[in-house]
Amino acid sequence: MAEKDEYIREAYDTLVQMSADEKKQMEYKAREKALRDYQSQMQSAETAGFRKGLKRAKRVFQLNAQGKTPAEIADICQLTEQDVRDILE
């Protein structure tokens, strides 16, 4: 297949050339590690943000159940009234 497709052949040749060069291998591995680290950090941040939002939403529901107005809830939770209404919908 590589013989028939010029792009695959070119990619294969580049791969062969890179694997023969130890410095390029190290650079490739460093880039791959950096990408994995970044993806892991983003996943952790997303999870932390989700948990923070869930905790805040629970607090909004608790205050609403206590009879607080959206304005009061917004002030207590440091949210806008619209955010409070969005959570309660």
Side-chain angles (χ1 to χ4, degrees):
M1 183 168 157
E3 297 82 22
K4 294 180 182 178
D5 190 332
E6 143 187 7
Y7 296 108
I8 293 176
R9 181 65 185 174
E10 187 177 325
Y12 176 78
D13 290 343
T14 302
L15 180 62
V16 169
Q17 187 178 14
M18 284 180 60
S19 58
D21 187 340
E22 188 175 324
K23 182 179 177 187
K24 287 195 187 279
Q25 283 181 349
M26 289 173 52
E27 289 171 355
Y28 172 79
K29 288 178 183 179
R31 270 195 311 275
E32 286 296 308
K33 183 182 181 311
L35 285 172
R36 284 192 307 274
D37 289 349
Y38 174 78
Q39 290 170 342
S40 176
Q41 290 169 353
M42 293 302 291
Q43 180 65 38
S44 294
E46 184 178 328
T47 300
F50 177 79
R51 287 184 179 153
K52 182 178 179 179
L54 185 59
K55 184 177 178 181
R56 187 173 277 176
K58 285 181 181 180
R59 182 71 174 137
V60 167
F61 282 114
Q62 288 172 344
L63 293 169
N64 184 61
Q66 293 172 7
K68 303 282 187 199
T69 67
E72 292 170 323
I73 296 170
D75 187 48
I76 293 167
C77 295
Q78 298 177 344
L79 296 168
T80 66
E81 284 187 53
Q82 185 59 50
D83 287 341
V84 171
R85 287 189 194 94
D86 290 344
I87 291 169
L88 294 173
E89 287 181 354

